Amino acid sequence: MSQSEIMEEFRAGVTACLRSWTALRAAVERGWGGSDSQAKADALRDHIYEIFDGSSNPPKAIEKGNLEDNLLFYLDEQFGVYLE
């Protein structure tokens, strides 16, 4: 499998995970992030793509182990959703 195919599969997986994440889905559907809630969710997805684009090891901007903390922070900051 080529690097391009691997990234395509990874992006599909990230998209599926974010779409099925109840907290994020509720925040977007209910507009907790304002009128641009969907754009904020899309920006989150794109940011994850950039972090894990495969061009650097470890991934740029964030260590994999800190992804959870960053996701929780993003939901709190952008949507006013606090998760434990």
Side-chain angles (χ1 to χ4, degrees):
M1 190 178 268
S2 71
Q3 181 68 19
S4 175
E5 291 169 324
I6 291 169
M7 288 309 298
E8 187 176 319
E9 291 286 326
F10 173 76
R11 288 177 178 204
V14 167
T15 299
C17 286
L18 291 177
R19 286 184 179 164
S20 66
W21 188 13
T22 306
L24 181 59
R25 191 174 62 240
V28 171
E29 289 173 357
R30 295 182 176 112
W32 295 341
S35 61
D36 60 345
S37 291
Q38 184 60 56
K40 289 179 178 181
D42 293 342
L44 174 61
R45 182 198 62 216
D46 293 342
H47 182 67
I48 293 170
Y49 291 169
E50 290 173 17
I51 292 169
F52 295 97
D53 70 358
S55 67
S56 60
N57 191 11
K60 60 186 172 189
I62 185 174
E63 291 183 21
K64 292 176 189 177
N66 295 331
L67 180 59
E68 178 183 4
D69 292 338
N70 282 271
L71 292 172
L72 298 177
F73 177 78
Y74 188 86
L75 256 64
D76 184 26
E77 289 293 309
Q78 298 298 319
F79 294 98
V81 174
Y82 179 75
L83 302 170
E84 292 184 10

